[in-house]
Short mmCIF file of all heavy atoms in Angstrom, two decimals:
data_model
loop_
_atom_site.label_atom_id
_atom_site.label_comp_id
_atom_site.label_asym_id
_atom_site.label_seq_id
_atom_site.Cartn_x
_atom_site.Cartn_y
_atom_site.Cartn_z
N LEU A 206 5.21 -28.00 -19.85
CA LEU A 206 4.96 -27.82 -18.51
C LEU A 206 5.20 -29.11 -17.77
O LEU A 206 4.94 -30.26 -18.30
CB LEU A 206 3.52 -27.34 -18.15
CG LEU A 206 3.23 -25.92 -18.59
CD1 LEU A 206 1.76 -25.63 -18.35
CD2 LEU A 206 4.09 -24.93 -17.83
N THR A 207 5.66 -29.11 -16.53
CA THR A 207 5.88 -30.28 -15.70
C THR A 207 5.08 -30.09 -14.37
O THR A 207 4.66 -28.93 -14.10
CB THR A 207 7.37 -30.48 -15.43
OG1 THR A 207 7.78 -29.55 -14.46
CG2 THR A 207 8.16 -30.45 -16.73
N GLN A 208 5.12 -31.12 -13.53
CA GLN A 208 4.43 -31.04 -12.31
C GLN A 208 5.18 -30.14 -11.26
O GLN A 208 4.65 -29.71 -10.22
CB GLN A 208 4.25 -32.39 -11.65
CG GLN A 208 5.48 -33.08 -11.26
CD GLN A 208 5.26 -34.52 -10.78
OE1 GLN A 208 4.45 -35.28 -11.39
NE2 GLN A 208 5.94 -34.89 -9.72
N LEU A 215 4.23 -20.76 -15.62
CA LEU A 215 2.78 -20.81 -15.93
C LEU A 215 2.28 -19.44 -16.34
O LEU A 215 1.18 -19.35 -16.73
CB LEU A 215 2.11 -21.20 -14.64
CG LEU A 215 2.14 -22.70 -14.19
CD1 LEU A 215 1.74 -22.87 -12.71
CD2 LEU A 215 1.39 -23.54 -15.14
N LEU A 218 0.63 -18.97 -20.02
CA LEU A 218 -0.82 -19.58 -20.05
C LEU A 218 -1.83 -18.80 -19.19
O LEU A 218 -2.88 -18.55 -19.63
CB LEU A 218 -0.73 -20.99 -19.55
CG LEU A 218 -2.02 -21.78 -19.52
CD1 LEU A 218 -2.62 -21.84 -20.93
CD2 LEU A 218 -1.81 -23.17 -18.97
N ALA A 219 -1.40 -18.36 -18.00
CA ALA A 219 -2.25 -17.62 -17.11
C ALA A 219 -2.68 -16.27 -17.74
O ALA A 219 -3.89 -15.86 -17.70
CB ALA A 219 -1.61 -17.39 -15.72
N VAL A 231 -7.24 -14.66 -12.52
CA VAL A 231 -6.83 -16.05 -12.87
C VAL A 231 -5.79 -16.49 -11.78
O VAL A 231 -4.87 -15.79 -11.52
CB VAL A 231 -6.22 -15.97 -14.25
CG1 VAL A 231 -5.57 -17.44 -14.56
CG2 VAL A 231 -7.27 -15.82 -15.29
N CYS A 232 -5.90 -17.82 -11.54
CA CYS A 232 -4.95 -18.32 -10.53
C CYS A 232 -4.46 -19.70 -11.18
O CYS A 232 -5.27 -20.37 -11.85
CB CYS A 232 -5.60 -18.66 -9.16
SG CYS A 232 -6.40 -17.32 -8.39
N ALA A 233 -3.12 -20.07 -10.95
CA ALA A 233 -2.62 -21.32 -11.52
C ALA A 233 -1.57 -21.74 -10.63
O ALA A 233 -0.77 -20.88 -10.11
CB ALA A 233 -2.11 -21.04 -12.86
N LYS A 234 -1.32 -23.01 -10.57
CA LYS A 234 -0.17 -23.66 -9.88
C LYS A 234 0.07 -25.05 -10.34
O LYS A 234 -0.92 -25.72 -10.90
CB LYS A 234 -0.41 -23.66 -8.34
CG LYS A 234 -1.35 -24.82 -7.90
CD LYS A 234 -1.42 -24.99 -6.34
CE LYS A 234 -0.08 -25.39 -5.73
NZ LYS A 234 0.33 -26.76 -6.07
N SER A 235 1.31 -25.44 -10.26
CA SER A 235 1.65 -26.85 -10.73
C SER A 235 1.39 -27.70 -9.50
O SER A 235 1.20 -27.19 -8.40
CB SER A 235 3.05 -26.87 -11.17
OG SER A 235 3.94 -26.68 -10.04
N ARG A 236 1.53 -29.06 -9.66
CA ARG A 236 1.22 -30.05 -8.61
C ARG A 236 2.21 -29.82 -7.54
O ARG A 236 1.89 -29.81 -6.25
CB ARG A 236 1.35 -31.43 -9.10
CG ARG A 236 1.21 -32.44 -8.04
CD ARG A 236 1.35 -33.90 -8.65
NE ARG A 236 0.06 -34.25 -9.35
CZ ARG A 236 -1.06 -34.66 -8.80
NH1 ARG A 236 -1.08 -34.92 -7.51
NH2 ARG A 236 -2.01 -35.01 -9.57
N ASP A 237 3.44 -29.63 -7.74
CA ASP A 237 4.56 -29.61 -6.67
C ASP A 237 5.08 -28.28 -6.45
O ASP A 237 6.11 -28.15 -5.76
CB ASP A 237 5.65 -30.59 -7.14
CG ASP A 237 5.18 -32.04 -7.31
OD1 ASP A 237 4.23 -32.32 -6.62
OD2 ASP A 237 5.84 -32.81 -8.08
N ASN A 238 4.56 -27.12 -6.96
CA ASN A 238 5.16 -25.87 -6.71
C ASN A 238 4.05 -24.90 -6.41
O ASN A 238 2.85 -25.03 -6.82
CB ASN A 238 5.95 -25.40 -7.90
CG ASN A 238 7.36 -25.13 -7.58
OD1 ASN A 238 7.67 -24.53 -6.44
ND2 ASN A 238 8.32 -25.44 -8.43
N GLY A 240 2.07 -21.29 -7.00
CA GLY A 240 1.73 -20.67 -8.43
C GLY A 240 1.61 -19.17 -8.30
O GLY A 240 2.31 -18.56 -7.51
N ILE A 241 0.73 -18.70 -9.12
CA ILE A 241 0.59 -17.21 -9.27
C ILE A 241 -1.00 -16.84 -9.20
O ILE A 241 -1.76 -17.62 -9.40
CB ILE A 241 1.12 -16.74 -10.60
CG1 ILE A 241 0.58 -17.48 -11.86
CG2 ILE A 241 2.62 -16.81 -10.62
CD1 ILE A 241 0.89 -16.95 -13.11
N TYR A 253 1.49 -18.54 -4.71
CA TYR A 253 0.12 -18.65 -4.35
C TYR A 253 -0.30 -20.18 -4.47
O TYR A 253 0.11 -20.92 -5.37
CB TYR A 253 -0.79 -17.82 -5.32
CG TYR A 253 -2.21 -18.05 -4.92
CD1 TYR A 253 -2.89 -17.43 -3.89
CD2 TYR A 253 -3.09 -18.74 -5.85
CE1 TYR A 253 -4.18 -17.56 -3.63
CE2 TYR A 253 -4.45 -18.87 -5.59
CZ TYR A 253 -4.95 -18.28 -4.51
OH TYR A 253 -6.32 -18.41 -4.18
N GLY A 255 -4.36 -22.27 -3.51
CA GLY A 255 -5.65 -22.17 -3.05
C GLY A 255 -6.29 -23.55 -2.88
O GLY A 255 -5.94 -24.44 -3.54
N ALA A 256 -7.36 -23.62 -1.98
CA ALA A 256 -7.99 -24.83 -1.69
C ALA A 256 -8.54 -25.57 -2.91
O ALA A 256 -8.48 -26.83 -3.14
CB ALA A 256 -9.09 -24.67 -0.62
N VAL A 257 -9.21 -24.79 -3.79
CA VAL A 257 -9.91 -25.36 -4.98
C VAL A 257 -8.80 -25.71 -5.96
O VAL A 257 -8.91 -26.80 -6.65
CB VAL A 257 -10.80 -24.37 -5.63
CG1 VAL A 257 -11.61 -24.97 -6.76
CG2 VAL A 257 -11.85 -23.83 -4.60
N LEU A 258 -7.73 -25.08 -6.19
CA LEU A 258 -6.64 -25.48 -7.08
C LEU A 258 -6.10 -26.82 -6.56
O LEU A 258 -5.94 -27.71 -7.40
CB LEU A 258 -5.47 -24.42 -7.01
CG LEU A 258 -5.71 -23.09 -7.84
CD1 LEU A 258 -4.54 -22.17 -7.52
CD2 LEU A 258 -5.83 -23.38 -9.29
N GLU A 259 -5.85 -26.93 -5.27
CA GLU A 259 -5.39 -28.21 -4.76
C GLU A 259 -6.40 -29.32 -4.92
O GLU A 259 -6.05 -30.55 -5.31
CB GLU A 259 -5.02 -28.04 -3.21
CG GLU A 259 -3.95 -27.08 -2.97
CD GLU A 259 -2.52 -27.53 -3.42
OE1 GLU A 259 -2.37 -28.62 -3.87
OE2 GLU A 259 -1.62 -26.79 -3.19
N GLU A 260 -7.66 -28.96 -4.72
CA GLU A 260 -8.69 -30.00 -4.91
C GLU A 260 -8.83 -30.52 -6.36
O GLU A 260 -8.91 -31.76 -6.53
CB GLU A 260 -10.01 -29.39 -4.52
CG GLU A 260 -11.16 -30.43 -4.49
CD GLU A 260 -12.52 -29.69 -4.04
OE1 GLU A 260 -12.51 -28.49 -3.56
OE2 GLU A 260 -13.63 -30.36 -4.18
N VAL A 261 -8.60 -29.67 -7.31
CA VAL A 261 -8.72 -30.03 -8.72
C VAL A 261 -7.41 -30.87 -9.01
O VAL A 261 -7.64 -31.87 -9.78
CB VAL A 261 -8.80 -28.79 -9.53
CG1 VAL A 261 -8.49 -29.15 -11.07
CG2 VAL A 261 -10.16 -28.08 -9.49
N ILE A 262 -6.28 -30.51 -8.58
CA ILE A 262 -5.07 -31.29 -8.88
C ILE A 262 -5.30 -32.69 -8.32
O ILE A 262 -4.86 -33.71 -9.03
CB ILE A 262 -3.88 -30.63 -8.26
CG1 ILE A 262 -3.51 -29.37 -9.02
CG2 ILE A 262 -2.65 -31.51 -8.26
CD1 ILE A 262 -2.45 -28.54 -8.43
N ASN A 263 -5.83 -32.87 -7.13
CA ASN A 263 -6.06 -34.24 -6.58
C ASN A 263 -7.14 -34.97 -7.12
O ASN A 263 -7.08 -36.19 -7.33
CB ASN A 263 -6.29 -34.09 -5.03
CG ASN A 263 -5.05 -33.62 -4.35
OD1 ASN A 263 -3.96 -33.92 -4.72
ND2 ASN A 263 -5.25 -32.73 -3.26
N ALA A 264 -8.26 -34.27 -7.66
CA ALA A 264 -9.44 -34.91 -8.15
C ALA A 264 -9.30 -35.19 -9.63
O ALA A 264 -9.91 -36.08 -10.22
CB ALA A 264 -10.70 -34.10 -7.86
N GLY A 265 -8.50 -34.37 -10.33
CA GLY A 265 -8.34 -34.54 -11.82
C GLY A 265 -9.51 -34.15 -12.59
O GLY A 265 -9.74 -34.67 -13.76
N THR A 266 -10.39 -33.28 -12.11
CA THR A 266 -11.67 -32.87 -12.80
C THR A 266 -11.90 -31.41 -12.66
O THR A 266 -11.45 -30.85 -11.61
CB THR A 266 -12.76 -33.77 -12.35
OG1 THR A 266 -13.94 -33.46 -13.24
CG2 THR A 266 -13.15 -33.40 -10.96
N THR A 267 -12.62 -30.85 -13.59
CA THR A 267 -12.97 -29.49 -13.44
C THR A 267 -14.03 -29.19 -12.23
O THR A 267 -14.95 -30.06 -12.11
CB THR A 267 -13.65 -28.87 -14.75
OG1 THR A 267 -12.73 -28.98 -15.74
CG2 THR A 267 -14.09 -27.44 -14.62
N ILE A 268 -13.88 -28.26 -11.53
CA ILE A 268 -14.64 -27.98 -10.36
C ILE A 268 -15.15 -26.52 -10.46
O ILE A 268 -14.44 -25.58 -10.70
CB ILE A 268 -14.00 -28.15 -9.00
CG1 ILE A 268 -13.58 -29.60 -8.83
CG2 ILE A 268 -14.80 -27.64 -7.84
CD1 ILE A 268 -12.88 -29.98 -7.60
N ILE A 283 -14.00 -21.26 -11.18
CA ILE A 283 -14.02 -22.39 -11.96
C ILE A 283 -12.56 -22.73 -12.22
O ILE A 283 -11.75 -21.95 -12.73
CB ILE A 283 -14.70 -21.96 -13.39
CG1 ILE A 283 -16.10 -21.38 -13.15
CG2 ILE A 283 -14.70 -23.20 -14.27
CD1 ILE A 283 -16.76 -20.84 -14.41
N VAL A 284 -12.23 -23.97 -11.88
CA VAL A 284 -10.84 -24.46 -11.96
C VAL A 284 -10.81 -25.68 -12.70
O VAL A 284 -11.67 -26.68 -12.58
CB VAL A 284 -10.21 -24.66 -10.52
CG1 VAL A 284 -8.78 -25.04 -10.61
CG2 VAL A 284 -10.40 -23.31 -9.66
N THR A 285 -9.87 -25.79 -13.71
CA THR A 285 -9.69 -27.03 -14.43
C THR A 285 -8.30 -27.60 -14.40
O THR A 285 -7.32 -26.85 -14.17
CB THR A 285 -10.09 -26.72 -16.04
OG1 THR A 285 -10.23 -27.95 -16.64
CG2 THR A 285 -9.01 -25.83 -16.59
N PRO A 286 -8.11 -28.83 -14.50
CA PRO A 286 -6.78 -29.45 -14.47
C PRO A 286 -6.01 -29.28 -15.74
O PRO A 286 -6.60 -29.22 -16.88
CB PRO A 286 -7.02 -31.01 -14.18
CG PRO A 286 -8.39 -31.21 -14.73
CD PRO A 286 -9.17 -29.96 -14.55
N ILE A 287 -4.66 -29.38 -15.73
CA ILE A 287 -3.87 -29.38 -16.93
C ILE A 287 -3.19 -30.77 -16.91
O ILE A 287 -2.54 -31.09 -16.00
CB ILE A 287 -2.81 -28.33 -16.87
CG1 ILE A 287 -3.47 -27.00 -16.97
CG2 ILE A 287 -1.88 -28.41 -18.15
CD1 ILE A 287 -2.54 -25.75 -16.75
N GLU A 288 -3.43 -31.58 -17.94
CA GLU A 288 -2.96 -32.98 -17.95
C GLU A 288 -1.72 -33.09 -18.89
O GLU A 288 -1.77 -32.48 -20.01
CB GLU A 288 -4.04 -33.96 -18.22
CG GLU A 288 -5.09 -33.98 -17.25
CD GLU A 288 -6.21 -34.99 -17.55
OE1 GLU A 288 -5.92 -35.78 -18.45
OE2 GLU A 288 -7.15 -35.11 -16.77
N VAL A 293 -2.31 -35.34 -14.05
CA VAL A 293 -2.49 -33.92 -13.76
C VAL A 293 -1.31 -33.30 -13.24
O VAL A 293 -0.65 -33.76 -12.21
CB VAL A 293 -3.68 -33.76 -12.72
CG1 VAL A 293 -3.87 -32.26 -12.39
CG2 VAL A 293 -4.98 -34.35 -13.27
N ILE A 294 -0.79 -32.30 -13.93
CA ILE A 294 0.49 -31.67 -13.52
C ILE A 294 0.28 -30.23 -12.98
O ILE A 294 1.16 -29.77 -12.36
CB ILE A 294 1.51 -31.68 -14.76
CG1 ILE A 294 0.81 -30.83 -15.85
CG2 ILE A 294 1.90 -32.93 -15.21
CD1 ILE A 294 1.80 -30.47 -16.93
N ALA A 295 -0.97 -29.64 -13.27
CA ALA A 295 -1.14 -28.35 -12.78
C ALA A 295 -2.73 -28.07 -12.82
O ALA A 295 -3.50 -28.87 -13.40
CB ALA A 295 -0.36 -27.33 -13.63
N ALA A 296 -3.05 -26.90 -12.34
CA ALA A 296 -4.40 -26.52 -12.30
C ALA A 296 -4.45 -24.95 -12.57
O ALA A 296 -3.60 -24.31 -12.16
CB ALA A 296 -5.20 -26.81 -11.05
N ILE A 297 -5.58 -24.54 -13.37
CA ILE A 297 -5.70 -23.13 -13.62
C ILE A 297 -7.12 -22.76 -13.45
O ILE A 297 -8.05 -23.51 -13.81
CB ILE A 297 -5.18 -22.78 -14.93
CG1 ILE A 297 -5.12 -21.17 -15.21
CG2 ILE A 297 -5.96 -23.48 -16.10
CD1 ILE A 297 -4.32 -20.73 -16.35
N GLY A 298 -7.39 -21.68 -12.93
CA GLY A 298 -8.83 -21.35 -12.51
C GLY A 298 -9.16 -19.88 -12.79
O GLY A 298 -8.21 -18.93 -12.83
N VAL A 299 -10.41 -19.57 -13.00
CA VAL A 299 -10.87 -18.19 -13.25
C VAL A 299 -11.80 -17.85 -12.10
O VAL A 299 -12.63 -18.70 -11.63
CB VAL A 299 -11.63 -18.14 -14.62
CG1 VAL A 299 -12.29 -16.71 -14.74
CG2 VAL A 299 -10.71 -18.34 -15.67
#
Side-chain angles (χ1 to χ4, degrees):
L206 293 175
T207 72
Q208 66 185 44
L215 290 164
L218 178 60
V231 170
C232 306
K234 77 172 296 291
S235 65
R236 176 179 288 275
D237 299 335
N238 237 322
I241 55 173
Y253 178 74
V257 184
L258 286 172
E259 298 288 358
E260 184 178 354
V261 166
I262 288 173
N263 291 326
T266 186
T267 298
I268 294 178
I283 305 171
V284 182
T285 193
I287 300 173
E288 295 185 5
V293 176
I294 61 169
I297 188 164
V299 175

